[in-house]
Structure formats: structure tokens, C-alpha cells
């Protein structure tokens, strides 16, 4: 089961006790997937079983109706009136022919309470939302039928301090979030707490893995830098040696050159402890830079 499906299964089991919240969630589902057939019967047009199950249970809780049977025009009108979806619709003529309710804006009167806003977002996500596998990427989206619908959902998410964006995709308007923390907050708003914890665990694992990778990359870069520097130092010293110059070096540089040739893999700090008397890392660096300068002189054909 995909992560998105797991979230929807959790939301399916999340029922508000308050009637006003149930109305808000049902209104969201109907506004996303609602249709009226030629007989005036309201139904949900979707292949998502979770949406159908939630719609069926909400109708039963709110109106004590069995939607496995076709609804009469009178019952459909009663439901649409309760959901406040009839104000901008010619309800009488609407029930005489097939009609899609997809994209109808939900009346703001149903969304005044914070709890109702949460329920509304649950219904919206159940009907038209999805979340990508967080192990691969962070992407939360809700596909809307109209710009007005997308703007309404955006406003609700912003109420909960979300920062969604809207983009047009073909004939739809897609509201989306890309930040992992924003998706976590949205799951919290919809009260999908198990999914929230699962996502947080994945985020922690990814952050730890990324942190370890950064540390390993940093250490690898330092090792490569150290190895490159050591190879260059050996090459400089060998050039001086092969031109008969080691014996002509000052005692401190001669000792440094011989020590480096005998200990090509030793870090500078440890290399300094092999000298007599021992010197610190900065002292070793200074002597090796002097040897490098002398080697550069030889490369230019100059005498040392």
C-alpha cells in the first residue's frame, strides 16, 4: 500500500462527533466528486473506495439514509440544502437533468470553526489528494476542478500556517506543498497522527543519512586533499634530491625532507613529532612550504 493510501485509510476512520464538522467534511467530498443523475439522485463519482465509504457513512450519520439505493429528488435537495450547496444553484432545474457538482465552492458558513476547517481538509484530501512516497520525495497535492475551489483550500491551509502553491495542470488547478515540515503540519491538521509519525520517522532517517553522507564526503575530501598535498611534497623533495640538493639544504629543511620521504603517509601533526626536537603542525607546514618553493625554483631552471 502506498503512503498516500495509508493516509487515506487513516482519514477514513477519523470521524468528527460534531454534526457541523460532519457537514463540512461531507460538503468537501460532494464539492470534489459529487454528481446528480438524470433522476435527481446525488452520488459520488469515484473509483476510490475510501471516499465512497466515508461518503456513505457520513450520509448515514447525518441523514439516516442508505445511499446504496438511489436517492429521491426530495432527499437530494434536503442534503444539498444542509450542505449549503444550493444558494448559487437553480435547484429545481438542477434536479431535472444530469449535473456535476465538482468544483462548487463550499459555503463559508460551514467553515467558521477551526474543527470544521480540519474536517473540510480531511474530506478534500480523501477525495482529491495525494502524497508521494516520502522516502523518494516530499510532495503533497490536491487536484481541484476550478481556481475558486483551489483558492478556498489554499486559504484554509494558510489559516493553519501552511504555504501552499497553486499551478494549472491541463484543465485542473493543483494545490501543492513541497516541504517535508509543511506536509507534516498538514497531516497534523487533518488529524492523521499515525501517518504523521511515520513521515517524521522517515524524515529523521533521511536527515541522519544525509548528515552522515555529508560528513563522509567532507572527510573524504579532506583525505583526498591531504593525500594530494603529501604526493606533491614527496615530488618536490625527490626533485631536490635528484638534483643533488638535499645535502646543501639547511639542517632543519634537510631533516624535514628526509623525514617526509621516510614517512610518506604520516599526517603533519604526527610527522612533527618524529623530528628532533619535535615541532608542531605549523612548523612542519612552514618547512614543507620552503621545500616546495625551492623545488619551484629548480623547475624554473634556477639554482638553490
Amino acid at each position: 500500500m502506498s503512503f498516500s493510501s495509508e493516509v487515506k485509510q487513516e482519514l477514513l476512520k477519523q470521524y468528527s462527533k460534531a454534526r457541523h464538522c460532519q457537514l463540512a467534511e461531507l460538503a468537501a467530498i460532494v464539492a470534489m466528486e459529487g454528481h446528480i443523475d438524470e433522476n435527481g439522485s446525488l452520488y459520488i463519482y469515484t473509483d476510490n473506495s475510501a471516499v465512497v465509504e466515508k461518503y456513505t457513512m457520513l450520509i448515514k450519520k447525518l441523514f439516516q439514509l442508505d445511499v446504496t439505493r438511489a436517492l429521491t429528488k426530495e432527499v437530494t435537495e434536503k442534503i444539498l440544502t444542509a450542505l449549503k450547496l444550493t444558494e448559487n444553484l437553480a435547484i429545481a432545474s438542477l434536479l431535472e437533468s444530469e449535473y456535476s457538482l465538482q468544483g462548487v465552492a463550499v459555503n463559508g458558513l460551514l467553515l467558521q470553526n477551526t474543527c470544521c476547517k480540519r474536517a473540510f481538509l480531511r474530506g478534500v484530501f480523501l477525495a482529491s489528494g495525494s502524497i508521494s512516497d516520502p522516502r523518494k520525495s516530499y510532495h503533497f497535492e490536491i487536484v481541484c476542478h476550478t481556481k475558486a475551489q483551489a483558492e478556498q483550500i489554499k486559504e484554509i491551509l494558510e489559516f493553519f500556517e501552511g504555504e501552499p502553491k497553486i499551478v494549472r495542470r491541463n484543465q485542473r488547478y493543483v494545490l501543492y506543498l513541497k516541504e517535508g515540515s509543511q506536509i507534516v503540519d498538514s497531516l497534523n491538521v487533518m488529524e492523521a497522527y499515525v501517518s504523521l509519525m511515520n513521515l517524521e520517522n522517515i524524515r529523521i532517517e533521511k536527515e541522519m543519512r544525509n548528515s552522515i553522507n555529508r560528513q563522509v564526503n567532507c572527510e573524504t575530501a579532506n583525505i583526498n586533499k591531504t593525500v594530494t598535498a603529501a604526493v606533491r611534497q614527496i615530488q618536490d623533495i625527490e626533485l631536490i634530491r635528484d638534483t643533488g640538493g638535499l645535502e646543501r639544504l639547511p639542517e632543519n629543511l634537510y631533516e624535514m625532507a628526509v623525514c617526509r620521504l621516510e614517512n610518506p603517509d604520516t599526517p603533519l601533526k604526527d610527522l612533527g613529532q618524529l623530528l628532533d626536537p619535535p615541532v608542531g603542525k605549523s612548523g612542519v607546514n612552514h618547512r614543507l612550504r620552503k621545500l616546495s618553493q625551492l623545488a619551484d625554483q629548480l623547475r624554473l631552471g634556477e639554482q638553490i
Side-chain angles (χ1 to χ4, degrees):
M1 183 183 294
S2 68
F3 184 77
S4 193
S5 296
E6 290 175 4
V7 174
K8 292 190 177 186
Q9 284 300 311
E10 183 176 2
L11 295 179
L12 173 62
K13 300 170 186 176
Q14 182 67 262
Y15 283 98
S16 301
K17 294 181 180 180
R19 178 180 174 82
H20 48 82
C21 292
Q22 294 173 8
L23 286 170
E25 186 168 5
L26 180 60
I29 293 173
V30 172
M32 286 292 180
E33 302 291 359
H35 290 263
I36 297 172
D37 67 17
E38 66 275 7
N39 299 313
S41 180
L42 175 67
Y43 69 99
I44 297 299
Y45 184 74
T46 179
D47 57 0
N48 189 325
S49 60
V51 180
V52 175
E53 187 175 344
K54 194 61 170 288
Y55 168 76
T56 301
M57 290 303 298
L58 286 170
I59 291 289
K60 184 175 182 179
K61 285 176 178 289
L62 287 163
F63 305 103
Q64 294 73 53
L65 293 170
D66 180 3
V67 294
T68 58
R69 303 175 184 178
L71 304 177
T72 64
K73 292 181 182 179
E74 292 74 21
V75 169
T76 295
E77 184 171 1
K78 176 183 177 182
I79 293 172
L80 294 181
T81 300
L83 298 179
K84 303 188 184 303
L85 293 176
T86 61
E87 293 187 3
N88 298 320
L89 303 174
I91 191 68
S93 59
L94 180 149
L95 296 176
E96 295 301 324
S97 60
E98 290 188 51
Y99 188 87
S100 172
L101 293 166
Q102 292 177 320
V104 175
V106 172
N107 194 305
L109 292 174
L110 288 178
L111 307 175
Q112 296 186 67
N113 300 324
T114 298
C115 55
C116 294
K117 290 181 173 68
R118 291 178 182 272
F120 169 78
L121 288 174
R122 276 200 301 274
V124 163
F125 185 83
L126 261 177
S128 297
S130 64
I131 300 179
S132 63
D133 183 347
R135 291 181 176 82
K136 298 178 181 177
S137 65
Y138 297 127
H139 184 80
F140 169 108
E141 72 173 39
I142 296 171
V143 181
C144 304
H145 298 276
T146 63
K147 186 175 182 180
Q149 189 175 62
E151 291 289 354
Q152 182 178 45
I153 298 168
K154 181 175 184 287
E155 184 179 335
I156 299 296
L157 280 169
E158 288 174 341
F159 172 84
F160 292 104
E161 301 185 356
E163 298 177 3
K165 301 290 189 298
I166 296 175
V167 64
R168 185 159 189 179
R169 184 188 298 163
N170 299 324
Q171 301 303 311
R172 298 285 187 265
Y173 291 86
V174 180
L175 178 145
Y176 67 92
L177 297 167
K178 283 286 189 182
E179 294 291 332
S181 59
Q182 292 270 310
I183 297 173
V184 167
D185 290 343
S186 297
L187 291 174
N188 183 52
V189 168
M190 295 187 295
E191 300 176 296
Y193 301 123
V194 174
S195 298
L196 183 156
M197 292 305 299
N198 290 339
L199 177 53
E200 281 287 49
N201 287 337
I202 292 171
R203 287 182 69 213
I204 291 170
E205 289 175 7
K206 288 178 71 173
E207 287 175 6
M208 288 180 62
R209 191 179 305 117
N210 290 339
S211 177
I212 291 171
N213 286 340
R214 284 193 297 271
Q215 185 175 352
V216 169
N217 290 339
C218 182
E219 290 176 354
T220 300
N222 288 336
I223 290 171
N224 289 338
K225 184 178 178 181
T226 300
V227 169
T228 300
V231 169
R232 177 61 188 267
Q233 292 158 10
I234 296 295
Q235 290 173 342
D236 289 342
I237 294 168
E238 287 177 340
L239 176 61
I240 298 171
R241 179 197 63 192
D242 294 343
T243 57
L246 280 187
E247 290 74 14
R248 290 180 289 163
L249 293 174
E251 185 178 350
N252 63 338
L253 295 184
Y254 176 81
E255 183 184 17
M256 184 76 261
V258 172
C259 187
R260 174 45 101 191
L261 287 175
E262 293 176 348
N263 302 277
D265 301 323
T266 303
L268 299 189
K269 183 178 179 181
D270 297 335
L271 197 63
Q273 300 305 305
L274 300 176
L275 300 175
D276 185 21
V279 299
K281 183 177 178 180
S282 61
V284 172
N285 256 323
H286 175 73
R287 295 184 187 187
L288 289 171
R289 278 198 301 271
K290 290 292 291 182
L291 289 169
S292 177
Q293 291 169 3
L294 293 173
D296 287 340
Q297 286 180 233
L298 291 173
R299 292 186 179 97
L300 293 172
E302 300 175 6
Q303 297 295 317
I304 61 171

